[in-house]
Amino acid sequence: MSCFGLILLFVIVYVIFGPIGVVILSIILIISSLSKVKQTNISVNGFDQKKGYPSYDPFIDIIKIFSYITLLDSVVSKEEVEYVKSFLISLFPNDTQRVQTLMYYYKEFNESPNRFNLNEAIENINRFAKYEERLSIFSVVVDFSLKSRKSEKVRETLFGIGKRLNLNIYDINSIINYYDKFFSKDIDNRKRWYSILGVSEECSNDEIKRAYRDLVKKTHPDKLRNMPETVVKDAESRIKEINEAYNNIKMERGFS
């Protein structure tokens, strides 16, 4: 598929399925590319092969980029960890061991950034992935970055990563501007969703689930059937608002 064809496909998917469709499409393209790559003897910087890392897993390079972005502000947020975990579960829904192994790498890289080389990771991706797949990987990286924090430093870093992935400037800017526009437009909605549930954006998925269940127990209209009709209607509106906020957060974070 040509670059123009891929961008057109992204646009069509966005129109039909929205932003979540774009992310899912990116994941599918990444799987179709990198899952075919056989493990090789390329070393993983800083890790002793005797400790169980004897071969190269192409997805480790994506994890390295995630870690690099994560450490730009020297803080590893719960949202970032949950994003990476949800992303890996989407890639490998039936391979818990691989998800755990890659999450272990993410944790190790975050704690010891000198253990990986970003340039080497990008060189490996360039070696194994075609242009369209590199574009998809870049889309996921941008999605992760702009959900985590919005700043010129991140934008400059993303632009540099895009160039090192040998993407043309038009495609780099198109992807960054697309996600930037989406998150700028929806940032107020996102804050409102979390506010409705009474949680912060730093909360874990489990904390959000607990908050949702507690709110449903307290406000469900079935408990107010003997109350005046206006009270019941208010409760119905409230529970609808709670459900919509929770479903939007679930969709954004990728948990069920």
Side-chain angles (χ1 to χ4, degrees), residues 60-68 109 116-118 120-121:
I60 291 176
D61 288 320
I62 299 177
I63 295 298
K64 289 178 181 178
I65 298 177
F66 281 157
S67 288
Y68 184 82
F109 291 147
F116 73 92
N117 185 301
L118 181 66
E120 181 185 77

Side-chain angles (χ1 to χ4, degrees), residues 121-163:
I122 292 175
E123 287 174 6
N124 289 335
I125 291 174
N126 288 339
R127 187 183 313 169
F128 291 116
K130 297 178 181 178
Y131 188 90
E132 291 83 359
E133 285 99 27
R134 297 200 304 276
L135 205 61
S136 297
I137 292 170
F138 184 64
S139 295
V140 173
V141 170
V142 173
D143 180 51
F144 170 72
S145 304
L146 296 184
K147 276 185 177 178
S148 302
R149 58 184 70 82
K150 294 171 63 63
S151 71
E152 283 304 312
K153 184 177 181 180
V154 170
R155 290 180 64 87
E156 291 172 5
T157 300
L158 289 173
F159 191 81
I161 290 173
K163 288 183 67 176

Side-chain angles (χ1 to χ4, degrees), residues 86-102:
S86 297
F87 171 73
L88 293 174
I89 290 173
S90 298
L91 286 173
F92 310 111
N94 301 315
D95 194 345
T96 303
Q97 181 61 45
R98 195 169 191 188
V99 171
Q100 291 176 345
T101 299
L102 290 170

